Amino acid sequence: MEVVRNYVDGSWREPAASERLEVLNPATGEALATVGLSLAEEVDRAAQAAAAAFPEWRRTPAVERVQYLFKLKDLLDRHFEELARTITLENGKTLEEARGEVRRAIENVEVACGIPSLMQGYLSEDIARGIDELMIRQPVGVCAALCPFNFPAMIPFWFMPYALACGNTFIVKPSERVPLTMVRIFELIEQVEFPRGVVNLVHGSRQTAEAILDHPAIRAISFVGSTPVAKQVYARAAAGGKRAQVQGGAKNPVIVLPDADLESTTRIVADSAFGSAGQRCLAASLAVTVGDARDSFVEAIAQAAAERVVGNGLEEGVQMGPVISVASKARIERLIGLGEAEGAKVMVDGRGAKITGYEGGFFVRPTVLVDVPKEGEIVTTEIFGPVLGLIHVATIDEAIDLVNTGQYGNMACLFTSSGAAARKFRYEAEVGNIGINIGVAAPMAFFPFSGWRESFFGVLHGQGRDAVEFYTQEKVVVERWPKEWSRKF
Ligand code: NAD
């Protein structure tokens, strides 16, 4: 069985750690590989290699640095299908969803190739007589990303291409549950022939992440994961004086107004709630029906949930794969039970799912809870599974109030044909990503992947210009060149 390796200072090494975890195929429960949990010494080796590579890499002109990214894009394109398959194998999402993820990863490489203009500074002549002032963007140094399980390819690419293009050196720590996709990508990175130490891969779990957070040579941390861990990561990064962009969990409401188009709204909300088995930070988790919308929407969404084809994501026609682990399945089923105990009615029950031929897989079928009590724990708890709770309110103001009183602020969506309602919602909803007649408001690579309140800690987000600002520090220079001095020339 494959033993997952680290890629440090331009070569592959097995983690020395004696503690190993199995990487499971969630559709079958079978082991695909084992992954070692790297120790602090291995993090130190990667950080030292990255620190040693930094001076030469930052002096490499930006136009030359992006040549490596052009090569990487080409390799990712050529290995597109194989990468998508690896994602499905270790994460469980369908092949079509995995393809979408690889596409998004590549788009971030494409945007980062614009760095020669994206990282330009600016200059003012004569702020006083003979005095000029300029702002230069310079790289930060060694940077690292700590990543979650749900997008093994895309999420590291919210960060890595920008960090490298800006002249930083980099360490990626994938989730210990899905390390294989990044191994395949680093096999391509090896072919790109970045200078040794510029980009490194270190596997592990909590202790590995903590060693990264505590390492003095690492200057910037990009994190994506659950909110309780995000809070610890943000505090620990700050204690070490590092800049940090820290994305947390979510509980995303979608609001359905009576004037929404029922057919398309149902299809889009079902895709949002049950796509990737609900394991997306932009998954719809609560559907809030306003006024008369309830009558038609409840039946329609229940039917869409019941009809969804669940199975092994590698198979043609399957619309939803398993959840990531047996523990996750148990947790999701427990939370459905909690909703029921709090008074919700389980209209479509996905517990106890059995998929013929995949008895060892971690499947939960789409679940719809109706009449979820607004004050219930189920309304605030991130389930991270294919479970949609339905809440009914009388007015759009009540619905927006529900959005704004939640703990999280990752995404909220509105379904309507009214421009005035859409504008009101866009203006008043206190979340970072808004969808209008869109169910997964995922920003393109040239926009920041936003997030507010407990879904994000920091200032600058991943992707696009925010990433460029995060991975550069601003140096302001004031220069005096008296006119008399130039008379000599
Ligand atoms: P997680 O928080 O369990 O793990 C994330 C990463 O942190 C992993 O690499 C893990 O090894 C590491 N880690 C675990 N405990 C740690 C600790 N105490 N200190 C430092 N590092 C630690 O998250 P997950 O289960 O892999 O991913 C799912 C979560 O990620 C969900 O909550 C989801 O909403 C969130 N997520 C958010 C976004 C976003 O854009 N806001 C995107 C994707 C996923």
Side-chain angles (χ1 to χ4, degrees), residues 111-418:
V111 172
C113 285
I115 227 69
S117 49
L118 286 173
M119 77 179 282
Q120 281 174 337
Y122 46 85
L123 180 151
S124 293
E125 264 184 348
D126 292 322
I127 52 153
R129 283 176 202 284
I131 301 182
D132 303 331
E133 185 159 343
L134 52 144
M135 192 283 281
I136 312 170
R137 289 199 175 277
Q138 295 191 334
V140 176
V142 182
C143 305
L146 309 172
C147 305
F149 79 82
N150 62 331
F151 284 94
M154 178 184 78
I155 286 179
F157 279 81
W158 286 350
F159 313 115
M160 183 168 65
Y162 303 97
L164 295 174
C166 289
N168 303 281
T169 53
F170 209 72
I171 302 171
V172 184
K173 191 204 82 64
S175 162
E176 61 279 22
R177 290 184 276 184
V178 292
L180 294 171
T181 304
M182 264 299 140
V183 169
R184 299 292 168 265
I185 288 174
F186 267 74
E187 285 164 1
L188 303 179
I189 284 179
E190 191 181 19
Q191 294 176 40
V192 170
E193 295 181 328
F194 280 95
R196 269 178 48 191
V198 166
V199 54
N200 304 275
L201 173 67
V202 177
H203 296 286
S205 57
R206 178 180 180 159
Q207 59 171 357
T208 318
E210 288 178 346
I212 288 173
L213 286 163
D214 293 345
H215 200 290
I218 299 173
R219 304 307 315 141
I221 298 288
S222 303
F223 170 91
V224 182
S226 56
T227 290
V229 176
K231 285 182 176 171
Q232 290 173 30
V233 165
Y234 195 49
R236 204 151 174 156
K242 301 180 195 331
R243 53 174 66 189
Q245 45 181 195
V246 176
Q247 295 179 226
K251 182 85 186 176
N252 304 307
V254 300
I255 300 172
V256 184
L257 296 191
D259 65 1
D261 177 74
L262 182 65
E263 191 277 321
S264 63
T265 301
T266 309
R267 180 171 35 79
I268 295 169
V269 172
D271 284 346
S272 174
F274 309 129
S276 296
Q279 300 173 116
R280 280 192 290 210
C281 67
L282 296 182
S285 175
L286 293 172
V288 186
T289 50
V290 178
D292 295 343
R294 184 180 196 279
D295 303 341
S296 41
F297 182 73
V298 173
E299 286 298 327
I301 196 77
Q303 190 182 344
E307 284 173 357
R308 211 153 183 95
V309 182
V310 181
N312 183 341
L314 285 179
E315 286 175 8
E316 197 71 34
V318 166
Q319 295 172 309
M320 193 182 103
V323 298
I324 190 68
S325 63
V326 74
S328 181
K329 174 180 159 80
R331 179 176 173 278
I332 294 164
E333 292 188 341
R334 181 177 59 74
L335 287 170
I336 297 170
L338 171 71
E340 200 173 17
E342 286 181 339
K345 179 169 152 238
V346 188
M347 194 161 177
V348 183
D349 193 347
R351 290 173 289 190
K354 297 267 178 295
I355 307 295
T356 312
Y358 297 103
E359 287 73 13
F362 317 135
F363 292 95
V364 180
R365 286 187 185 275
T367 298
V368 177
L369 302 175
V370 290
D371 297 332
V372 172
K374 286 192 212 80
E375 56 294 339
E377 206 182 313
I378 199 74
V379 173
T380 51
T381 307
E382 182 182 39
I383 301 177
F384 223 54
V387 181
L388 183 68
L390 266 54
I391 295 185
H392 185 66
V393 297
T395 65
I396 185 172
D397 285 304
E398 267 183 80
I400 293 176
D401 196 46
L402 235 153
V403 170
N404 292 350
T405 49
Q407 172 194 1
Y408 299 104
N410 218 33
M411 183 191 77
C413 303
L414 181 75
F415 289 83
T416 183
S417 52
S418 154

